[in-house]
Amino acid sequence: MISRDQICKTGKLLKRYGKACPMPDKIQRILIANRGEIACRIIRTCQQLGIETVAVCSTVDRYARHTRLADAFECVGGPSPAASYLNAEAILQAACKHKADAIHPGYGFLAENADFAQACIDAGLIFIGAPVAAMRLMASKSAAKQTMEAAGVACVPGYHGDNQEAAFLRQQAEKIGWPVLIKASAGGGGKGMKIVPDAAHFDEALNAAKSEARKAFGDDRVILEKFITHPRHIEVQVFSDRQGNHLHLFERDCSAQRRYQKIIEEAPAAGLAADTRQAMLEAAVRAAGAVGYEGAGTVEFILDRDQRFYFLEMNTRLQVEHRVTELITGTDLVAWQIRVAEGQPLPVTQDDVHARGHAIEARIYAEDAENDFLPSVGLLDRLQFPTEVPGRVLVDTGVRQSDRISIHYDPMIAKLVVWGEDRDQAIDVMNEALCQTLVSGVKTNLASLTTLINHPRFRDNCLYTNAIDQGLLDEHPDNLESLARFLAAIIHWQLHHDTERTGQGEQPEQSTPVPWQPFGPDWQRLSLRQGDERIDVEWQIADETLTLRPVTPGTGNALSDAAALCETEIFPPVRFPWPLPWSAQVHETPEAYHVILGHQRRVLEKIRHDSGPAAGGNEGQVVAPMPGQILNILVAPGEPVKKDQTVAVMEAMKMELSLKAPRDACVETVHHSVGDLLQAGDVVLSFAAGDTEKGGEASSTDGVSA
Ligand code: ADP
Ligand code: ADP
Ligand code: MG
């Protein structure tokens, strides 16, 4: 990334060369230094306000939705964030070239970079964000906590001083009491956080946290906090203007997280005692006042089981989840940001801010729930969202059908945001919105989102931040009983669908092939895939009954025999009345059936008969499952390896993934070395022929958060 000196120099240079004009009082053209949904969302408000927009993009984003929506765009560099969206110099030059008078940084990237904000100001541009001093202060979790304590805002008990000696920190941790949380002082995005259960694990965790912090933020200072068990994450939206007015727009509950990252957010927080809420809102406004804040900010708190709350950090920017606040308060926070950046006072006072109803946001990510939530990259061959209804259903997205989710950026595909009269109604609207959403081409968390919002713990509002990481959504082992309902839905849909098409006179050859083949005079054999698992069942319809039974072993079909062997004894046949007395929603894509049944959602993939049982893998080699960079190669040519032994480690989309041997084998060739950039499917290493023994997939991966 560009250095602080360089950023500052660019700002001053541009001013010196007279490109910049004096600060305007009315913003007419905004450059958006971001991409994806947030860039599109900002453009939307600008269009409503009659403000022109300039997008920036990387070379892979030339045709991205945000560049197309803006009035003008400038390509500022290569695909890696450092080359483009973090390239302050190129962005400032684009702003001058396009005669923008302000820069909106969105969230992430340069949004909380005080040097960039200063460089904007030096170049004569308005930075639509927090004051530089407040940004600098809040960038350090330790400085932030010191300021908050001075302002009388309670912080999580802990140590946030300058002494960074291991022995001293261990002593402090003892004093705080186990478990203790180590956090990177410069941290964000959950990086560099380690829970330490007891003294014996402290030194190791400290080293790991420091090394992660150094890698992610170039600063290895840490703070210690008491680890609050079963907490809720509640944050307050604040807004301030240059005239010194500070107000809040109520709170958001962001307790639905995985790996310290939010996935569902709502406003207001349900079940919060009125006096606790009031105290929290007041503390947040006091926090904003204490740092002379301007613009949109979020004060994050953690709430323990006794409804005691503690300051966590202040985010000096617009948050991903600001939409739920907009829906309950009827505001447009981007419009407010622009107004305040122009130097105008806030449009309302605290007494005029009212909350109505309940709003929920769900973040749809391209990720593989069955593979430890690893990001999933690929082409979005089908993309369907619910229709937007102003004030009730919003869809914020930065992609369109046929776009690609790439390795370079955050894998968020869209945010669904809904409003209801109360929480139950909002959950219902969200269910409906999720049903109307279809994403194919990449794996998504849609099924987890559906499960989550219908989970009794979510419905009853007793979710705490680590519940999902502790296995809340982990499925019970599948049985034919529950799977059969989904298969029945596919059979029903396929038969109905085919009848409809034949009725319309379509040629049968043109219809998509059914996923089954005749088996004997009365039965059909249905074969599909769910994740890594192959599913083979036989079905028949007779006497107004649909019967599904597991494939009988020894029927001569080598493919299904293997799959059936282990499963036959467990599953008796399952019967449903025919036609089915219940209905399901089925979306068919060329690769799969997306089935929504009640509050469950599954993707059942079609099996390509031409590709045989080893489809998707070759046991003679280990291939990169996704694009990324090789971090480590753990074996050498000639070395014997065991099935599932880690042979190499890759880094992709900020995650580390272990590549494993598909079987016992002997390494013949290592095709790449540490540092190499790979495409998905590139062969990392190959095994000597001859020692083959039937095994699993070509390469399995497991992810650990980086
Ligand atoms: P929110 O509370 O709005 O979800 P997050 O802290 O999760 O905010 O960050 C919002 C966005 O900024 C995410 O896309 C995240 O990946 C990115 N982000 C946050 N902190 C950092 C950081 N220190 N470095 C790079 N990206 C970050
Ligand atoms: P970041 O800058 O990465 O957003 P935060 O300090 O905001 O870091 O913490 C992120 C999340 O980690 C919180 O939302 C919460 O789920 C969890 N967390 C943070 N501090 C604590 C704590 N002291 N005890 C328990 N959980 C915590
Ligand atoms: Mg945070």
Side-chain angles (χ1 to χ4, degrees), residues 679-700:
Q679 291 303 314
D682 282 358
V683 178
V684 180
L685 52 87
S686 41
F687 300 118
D691 48 351
T692 318
E693 164 194 303
K694 196 98 194 78
E697 295 275 64
S699 76
S700 63

Side-chain angles (χ1 to χ4, degrees), residues 16 36 81 87 92-93 141 152 196 233 288 324 359 389 394 399 417 437 463 475 477 504 608 638 645 663 672 688:
R16 203 165 334 124
N87 185 344
L92 285 170
Q93 262 156 7
K141 286 193 202 293
V196 197
H233 172 118
V324 289
V389 182
L394 289 176
V399 291
V417 202
T437 304
L463 210 63
E475 283 207 14
Q504 288 165 2
R608 297 191 186 280
Q645 178 182 335
R663 58 177 168 90
H672 288 280

Side-chain angles (χ1 to χ4, degrees), residues 141 181 183 188-190 193 225-226 228 233 257 300 313:
K141 286 193 202 293
L181 187 65
K183 281 187 189 177
M193 291 196 355
E225 277 180 8
K226 168 130 201 79
I228 314 269
H233 172 118
Q257 308 185 347
E300 296 189 334
E313 63 165 348

